[in-house]
Amino acid sequence: MRLYWVRGSTTMITAIHTAVKGRARYKVTGLHGSGPLKRLLEVRLVAHAEIQEVSASTLTGNILVRYRPDLSPTAVASLLADVMTDYEDTVQRRNGAPNEDLRPQRPAADTPAGSRRAVRRAVTHGKEQDRAQWHLMEAEAVVATLETSQTMGLSSTAAQDRLRRYGPNLSPESVPRSSLSIVLEQFTSLPVALLGVAAGIALLTGGIADAIVIAGVVAMNAAIGYVTESQSEQTIHALKSLVHPSALTLRDGQAHLARAEEMVPGDILLLRPGSYVAADARLLESQRLSVDESALTGESLPVTKNTTALTEADVPLADRHNMVYAGTLVPGGQGLAVVVATGQHTEMGQIQALVDVAASPDTPMQQQLNQMGRQLVLLSGAVCGLVFGVGLLQGYGLFQMLKTAIALAVAAVPEGLPTVATTVLALGIRTMRQHHVLIRRLAAVETLGSMQIICLDKTGTLTLNQMTVVSLSVGGRHITVHDGAFVAAGEDLVPLAHAEIARLLHVCVLCSETEIVEHQHDAYSLRGSPTENALLQMAIAAGVNVVQLRADHPLLQMQHRAEHRNFMSTLHTHQTGQLVAVKGSPNEVLDLCSWHLQQGHAEPLTEADRLAIAIENDRLASEALRLLGAAYREWEGAAEEASRLAGLTWLGLIGMAYPVRPGVQEHMGDFHRAGIATVMITGDQSATAYAIGKTLRLSREEHLEILDSTHLTGVAPEVMTALASRVHVFARVSPAHKLQIVQALQRAGKVVAMTGDGINDGPALKAADIGIAMGNTGTDVAREVADVVEA
């Protein structure tokens, strides 16, 4: 164990493990519990070309660094020491405030409604940006068009000039309702307006007592509504994300950590694991880069990216594999991208524009109250006119009959109706809040009970937003995996008691980039891609000591997936020899195998065996599972590199999915018994959407109708209305399609509810009769436009 000291301080860096070439773990004094230092270390270190990946843990105070093999652990420690020196200097300049966040912060004044209006003005008044079809252009042409440099980025002067020209890289956010607007909304219903007119007429005709009573009723109604709605509005606004993202970009040839709002067209983004994509950008380089676009497209799986120019102009957003978009995240890999759109010109900004255009419809109760008010005006007007005319014919004075008619009109207005309705709705909101559901507007409570169709977003709403292993095919047996239980033919299995399953689990742990942090009581934190995390979670649930297993089989070499190699392999020491672990595309892994494991023994892999595995692979694929094949080989001594992937032993198939949330299937039955039709709207592929729809029995006993929404472009509104009334599952939808589907159902005369949590759900949530958003897991856009928010 070697110690390194940060010059001019007492900070110590301890090398814990440096035996594996290109990989080292250090303990850093001060890292434990310090989020700002963790972020600074990760961002600053990956800015060096020699550093491939950095993972710091505030729980253990350790930092794992993957670097080029030609770099020494001492050189890495020196880089660490440089960052720590800068950190301590910054802390001292900030008067010894070590817990202050070192990330670039958006000014606190950005959060009030007045400042958000100022942001909208700054964004919308910026110069129009080039709307070229960047995904069709070669990377070099994009760089030339934007007058930037792939190696140097923009100069600081050019970046500032473009920032003034195009405005800040912010979406024109919706301005929250002010207290005054909430108060005024309490007087917009026709019955309340009639009461106000009645009070005014009573005051003019000398009925001061009547005017005071009616005004008191109106004021009480407004007070109840204001207090109830403002409480919900404040709570929903408190759920708004307080994270102010930053991005690593090239400026003047140097890696520069900048606020996301300072990004401009032409900036070069450095994408690393955990990076927030700050703007729409065209990829210039990609090394196993994957991007989680679920909040934008609804696609549940991270998308693998490349730099190849596309050939079709109308490729859906989710299939533009050479683009990355603002608001998405990088779970794995690395890349370099040039910013092509910022602010309102990004895809997220276009969705915000759709949100602004979409109109929130009146609730059924509001429509009924307004209809009743119109009928009351007509009826009372006719009666008052008749009484006035009859009185004049019978010889009564004009002024006397006018007072009588006005008094009759005032008496015809039901003063108690608005107050009773408001009080009942307020009690409903209070009850919903006790169940951790926030209602933004009073009338939305009644709409919940009136809905006829509920449109359900899949990713993160119907399904857990966490990849899980659900199925295995090992040793000729199909095994179902659920909540840590392994079941084959109705029999519970002890996984580690079966050699085939145990070896498969070991390969899943070893052939992985996921970092494992062990806590007390056999608890683990995993940092890696959703797929690899799911594999390790399965192994942990089966009882594998994953930390000890990796310690017993130190990593010697790792070979990642490549463009023409859809599998990953790792080389490990194994007792007196070596072991290679492989996972990836089932077909490609199977082609490398000459043996398969049967009851603990390696048997030759015959053509009949290969056919059986292929059939099982097709069967599992039809269930919309993501499939991986696993294999291994071990030998005494060291093997030559050329022969390591030859003659592997096949272990089995692993099927993964985003599982349905607990209780969702039962809720579908509740909806159907209540007479509410269920429709699923998702950005996922048709096969995945169909499998989930069948599992949830969205169509009840009818045939499940599914429609790929990429074919909806240009469809006439009448045709869309007819289709929407028949289809149970809409797949591959865009935000505009979601809005079209909701509006089509409304044109068919249905009261429509929409659930969602992503940026792409915003327009449909606002247009639906009642929009329902997730609170803690959803996006700010979804919460700001929804009528109902889960707290």
Side-chain angles (χ1 to χ4, degrees), residues 458-730:
K458 184 187 80 69
T459 306
T461 304
L462 292 178
T463 60
L464 292 171
N465 206 8
Q466 178 181 356
M467 180 76 80
T468 303
V469 176
V470 296
S471 183
L472 299 175
S473 179
V474 182
R477 288 189 295 185
H478 175 71
I479 301 169
T480 301
V481 183
H482 182 67
D483 289 339
F486 293 70
V487 181
E491 176 189 355
D492 286 340
L493 301 179
V494 179
L496 299 184
H498 298 266
E500 299 91 343
I501 305 175
R503 184 54 62 95
L504 176 71
L505 295 173
H506 291 169
V507 166
C508 290
V509 175
L510 296 176
C511 189
S512 173
E513 286 189 284
T514 292
E515 181 190 0
I516 306 171
V517 180
E518 187 177 14
H519 306 304
Q520 294 180 349
H521 310 299
D522 295 328
Y524 300 91
S525 292
L526 305 178
R527 179 176 177 182
S529 70
T531 299
E532 293 196 342
N533 286 354
L535 295 175
L536 264 73
Q537 290 286 8
M538 172 184 64
I540 292 168
V544 177
N545 187 331
V546 292
V547 174
Q548 187 62 46
L549 179 65
R550 286 190 172 182
D552 292 341
H553 299 79
L555 178 67
L556 298 176
Q557 189 179 56
M558 181 178 293
Q559 196 172 35
H560 295 95
R561 289 172 178 257
E563 186 174 350
H564 301 294
R565 188 181 64 249
N566 292 315
F567 61 86
M568 172 185 176
S569 66
T570 53
L571 181 67
H572 307 262
T573 57
H574 170 66
Q575 296 176 352
T576 59
Q578 292 182 340
L579 175 147
V580 65
V582 180
K583 75 171 190 300
S585 165
N587 292 330
E588 292 192 29
V589 174
L590 187 60
D591 288 341
L592 300 173
C593 296
S594 303
W595 307 84
H596 66 138
L597 209 59
Q598 291 289 328
Q599 298 182 0
H601 300 286
E603 302 286 346
L605 192 64
T606 65
E607 288 303 317
D609 295 327
R610 293 180 186 275
L611 179 60
I613 293 170
I615 292 173
E616 180 68 4
N617 182 50
D618 291 342
R619 186 187 69 79
L620 293 174
S622 68
E623 297 177 5
L625 300 181
R626 184 179 189 185
L627 295 173
L628 292 176
Y632 81 105
R633 183 188 172 196
E634 58 186 24
W635 54 87
E636 296 294 325
E640 294 182 6
E641 186 172 352
S643 64
R644 287 172 186 168
L645 295 179
L648 301 183
T649 300
W650 174 261
L651 290 172
L653 292 167
I654 306 164
M656 291 175 287
Y658 285 91
V660 173
R661 283 184 179 274
V664 166
Q665 202 158 2
E666 292 75 12
H667 290 325
M668 293 302 108
D670 294 339
F671 285 136
H672 295 155
R673 283 188 291 274
I676 301 171
T678 50
V679 174
M680 186 170 74
I681 305 177
T682 177
D684 265 330
Q685 302 284 347
S686 296
T688 304
Y690 185 82
I692 296 293
K694 290 287 287 184
T695 301
L696 296 178
R697 299 181 68 243
L698 294 178
S699 60
R700 301 182 227 189
E701 303 302 326
E702 301 175 11
H703 176 69
L704 184 71
E705 298 287 349
I706 184 169
L707 178 67
D708 189 317
S709 298
T710 54
H711 303 304
L712 291 180
T713 304
V715 172
E718 300 79 14
V719 177
M720 186 69 191
T721 301
L723 284 173
S725 301
R726 295 175 50 194
V727 175
H728 304 106
V729 177
F730 292 91

Side-chain angles (χ1 to χ4, degrees), residues 421-475:
T422 299
T423 303
V424 171
L425 294 176
L427 291 173
I429 286 183
R430 180 181 177 185
T431 302
M432 296 293 285
R433 187 176 290 141
Q434 291 171 352
H435 290 82
H436 308 292
V437 176
L438 303 173
I439 310 293
R440 176 172 265 119
R441 293 178 175 84
L442 285 170
V445 178
E446 186 270 341
T447 312
L448 277 173
S450 302
M451 64 179 174
Q452 297 168 299
I453 291 181
I454 182 167
C455 296
L456 300 155
D457 172 57
K458 184 187 80 69
T459 306
T461 304
L462 292 178
T463 60
L464 292 171
N465 206 8
Q466 178 181 356
M467 180 76 80
T468 303
V469 176
V470 296
S471 183
L472 299 175
S473 179
V474 182

Side-chain angles (χ1 to χ4, degrees), residues 355-440:
V355 170
D356 292 340
V357 170
S360 299
D362 287 339
T363 67
M365 189 185 74
Q366 288 173 324
Q367 295 171 3
Q368 292 165 5
L369 285 176
N370 289 336
Q371 182 181 5
M372 187 195 71
R374 288 191 296 269
Q375 293 172 346
L376 192 61
V377 169
L378 293 174
L379 183 60
S380 62
V383 171
C384 292
L386 180 62
V387 169
F388 180 76
V390 170
L392 289 179
L393 292 174
Q394 290 184 353
Y396 290 97
L398 177 65
F399 185 70
Q400 182 182 2
M401 288 312 304
L402 183 61
K403 288 182 63 177
T404 302
I406 290 173
L408 184 60
V410 171
V413 178
E415 294 92 342
L417 178 60
T419 303
V420 170
T422 299
T423 303
V424 171
L425 294 176
L427 291 173
I429 286 183
R430 180 181 177 185
T431 302
M432 296 293 285
R433 187 176 290 141
Q434 291 171 352
H435 290 82
H436 308 292
V437 176
L438 303 173
I439 310 293
R440 176 172 265 119

